[in-house]
Amino acid sequence: MFSTGFTFSTSFTWNDLLFLLQGAWVTLLLTFWSMLLGTFMGVSCGLLRALLPRATIPLGWFLDIFRSVPLLIQFVLFNSLKSIVGLDWSAFTVGCVVLGVYVAAFCTEIVRSGVLSVPQNLRLASRSLGMTYWQDLRYVVMPLATRVAFPGWLNLSLSAMKDTALVMWIGIIELLRASQAIVTRIQEPLLVLCIAGLIYYLISLVVSRLGAQVEKRWQQND
């Protein structure tokens, strides 16, 4: 008989797990509010960019800035600007706003491409049936554009959830910051980061499955 002599012991406690889950909850809140803000702005700007392309060229240039500049730099700059101008905003609000604008910059292009994917002949046919411009936009363009844009929006949501890890640089304790705090205390990075990664994976899995169910229902209704 051979014995490996392997034993496993850890200083990771139930309270540490609860602390990680609290960080995960902050991550979810940041994702929810930033996606809500970013989607509202993105849909508005995306429609303008699709329907009035020449008139909204400056808007496109402005959004390119947020797509091009790394998100971490945006967090640091906006947090510094907040202090300079005297805005009494919490770090959580700053995180939601900056991430929301960042999401809006990408969501704009997703919505724009979805609207432009609707065949022009289909729009002309709806107008020939007596629909007004706004009826055509509401009942023909938007339903079709939503189905095209939804997968891109879902991927953007998952990306935004992972990008929330950058808010630790402005003092917010989300999932990654919580895991780093525990690693500093118990010096077990492999275990703690594996648990944090598992939590990220489970959240992503739930969101992906919900998105797949929505797409499946759309296909069944066709």
Side-chain angles (χ1 to χ4, degrees):
M1 295 292 292
F2 293 93
S3 175
T4 61
F6 175 78
T7 59
F8 176 77
S9 62
T10 178
S11 299
F12 189 84
T13 65
W14 176 252
N15 288 332
D16 292 329
L17 179 60
L18 291 179
F19 187 57
L20 285 179
L21 293 177
Q22 290 174 357
W25 176 245
V26 174
T27 293
L28 287 174
L29 288 177
L30 281 166
T31 305
F32 173 79
W33 289 112
S34 61
M35 285 304 302
L36 184 65
L37 175 62
T39 300
F40 176 78
M41 295 173 60
V43 170
S44 303
C45 295
L47 284 173
L48 289 175
R49 292 285 293 133
L51 302 177
L52 302 170
R54 293 186 179 181
T56 56
I57 289 177
L59 176 62
W61 292 341
F62 178 72
L63 294 175
D64 279 341
I65 297 174
F66 294 97
R67 283 194 296 270
S68 303
V69 177
L71 185 56
L72 177 58
I73 295 178
Q74 295 183 41
F75 277 126
V76 174
L77 289 179
F78 192 89
N79 197 49
S80 300
L81 180 65
K82 177 201 72 170
S83 302
I84 294 173
V85 300
L87 287 177
D88 188 20
W89 287 7
S90 66
F92 183 85
T93 302
V94 171
C96 289
V97 170
V98 174
L99 188 56
V101 175
Y102 183 76
V103 166
F106 287 94
C107 188
T108 295
E109 292 303 308
I110 293 174
V111 173
R112 175 176 171 270
S113 62
V115 172
L116 294 179
S117 70
V118 179
Q120 190 64 26
N121 291 338
L122 187 60
R123 299 197 63 183
L124 293 174
S126 65
R127 298 298 296 276
S128 66
L129 292 174
M131 286 188 177
T132 65
Y133 177 83
W134 295 109
Q135 287 175 330
D136 165 55
L137 189 63
R138 177 180 178 184
Y139 296 110
V140 178
V141 176
M142 290 306 297
L144 294 176
T146 300
R147 296 191 182 193
V148 173
F150 182 76
W153 179 87
L154 188 63
N155 288 331
L156 181 60
S157 300
L158 295 175
S159 178
M161 182 196 70
K162 290 179 286 186
D163 287 338
T164 58
L166 296 175
V167 301
M168 68 178 183
W169 292 98
I170 58 175
I172 300 177
I173 302 178
E174 40 64 64
L175 180 54
L176 184 59
R177 179 69 177 272
S179 65
Q180 289 183 335
I182 296 174
V183 168
T184 301
R185 182 172 57 82
I186 69 175
Q187 296 298 309
E188 296 181 28
L190 184 60
L191 173 64
V192 176
L193 292 178
C194 281
I195 295 175
L198 179 62
I199 295 174
Y200 275 117
Y201 170 74
L202 292 175
I203 295 173
S204 299
L205 181 64
V206 171
V207 173
S208 299
R209 291 296 174 85
L210 289 175
Q213 288 296 321
V214 172
E215 290 188 275
K216 185 177 180 180
R217 289 187 179 183
W218 275 341
Q219 293 175 357
Q220 292 174 346
N221 291 334
D222 287 341

